[in-house]
Amino acid sequence: MAHTPVNHPARPIYRALGGLIGLYLVLFGLLGFFASTGDPFFGQGDTQVLGQGTNLGFSLLSIVIGAVVLAGTVIGRNLDVLINQWSAYLIMVVSLGGLAFLRTDANIFNLSVATVIVLMLLSLALLMSGMYSKVGTDEEHEAWQKARLVL
């Protein structure tokens, strides 16, 4: 994509941001897993972790997504860009679905309004991290600069 920045000067910061988001998701998932152990997998109880509603299913999903984001951050080589962007889209779909079914029986992840807000903020930050941490050759950077300056 010509409009995605290549070799952005702040790419180490964006890559670290992606890693921190992955770490948060793993931590939240582990805390939620221990808090909801013994409850039904998609239970709709009052289990909360860090002020956010969760259940065993959502905790495991958070662990998986966070671990994938962390693995992508460690591996790098533009794999983190792809993983961060697609993970951000997945988190957005989950949060918007959770918002749509918040007070119904279809709220299988036991999300609360606070959880939806945090997920949306995390997904936007992860998407930004994916868009600005692309690494390329000097020729790719120059092509991006030329495409950026064309009106």
Side-chain angles (χ1 to χ4, degrees):
M1 293 183 173
H3 60 279
T4 302
V6 178
N7 297 339
H8 193 276
R11 74 180 177 270
I13 295 170
Y14 289 114
R15 188 170 176 199
L17 177 66
L20 287 174
I21 291 170
L23 188 63
Y24 175 81
L25 287 171
V26 169
L27 177 69
F28 173 77
L30 287 174
L31 291 174
F33 178 79
F34 292 123
S36 62
T37 300
D39 294 341
F41 194 74
F42 291 121
Q44 296 182 356
D46 57 351
T47 306
Q48 286 196 346
V49 174
L50 302 175
Q52 304 167 49
T54 188
N55 60 17
L56 194 56
F58 184 63
S59 296
L60 292 177
L61 179 68
S62 296
I63 291 170
V64 168
I65 293 174
V68 169
V69 169
L70 277 175
T73 302
V74 169
I75 294 170
R77 291 187 239 143
N78 288 336
L79 182 63
D80 58 337
V81 172
L82 186 66
I83 288 174
N84 287 351
Q85 288 177 353
W86 284 103
S87 297
Y89 297 141
L90 176 65
I91 294 170
M92 278 185 202
V93 167
V94 168
S95 67
L96 288 173
L99 183 63
F101 300 117
L102 198 60
R103 295 185 183 203
T104 66
D105 289 336
N107 186 6
I108 60 170
F109 289 134
N110 195 30
L111 301 181
S112 63
V113 174
T115 312
V116 170
I117 291 170
V118 169
L119 284 177
M120 197 51 84
L121 290 174
L122 289 176
S123 66
L124 289 173
L126 195 58
L127 185 61
M128 180 180 63
S129 171
M131 289 185 172
Y132 285 97
S133 58
K134 187 173 183 181
V135 179
T137 63
D138 291 335
E139 292 82 23
E140 291 173 331
H141 179 69
E142 186 176 325
W144 169 70
Q145 288 285 5
K146 287 179 182 177
R148 184 177 70 94
L149 297 175
V150 173
L151 297 176

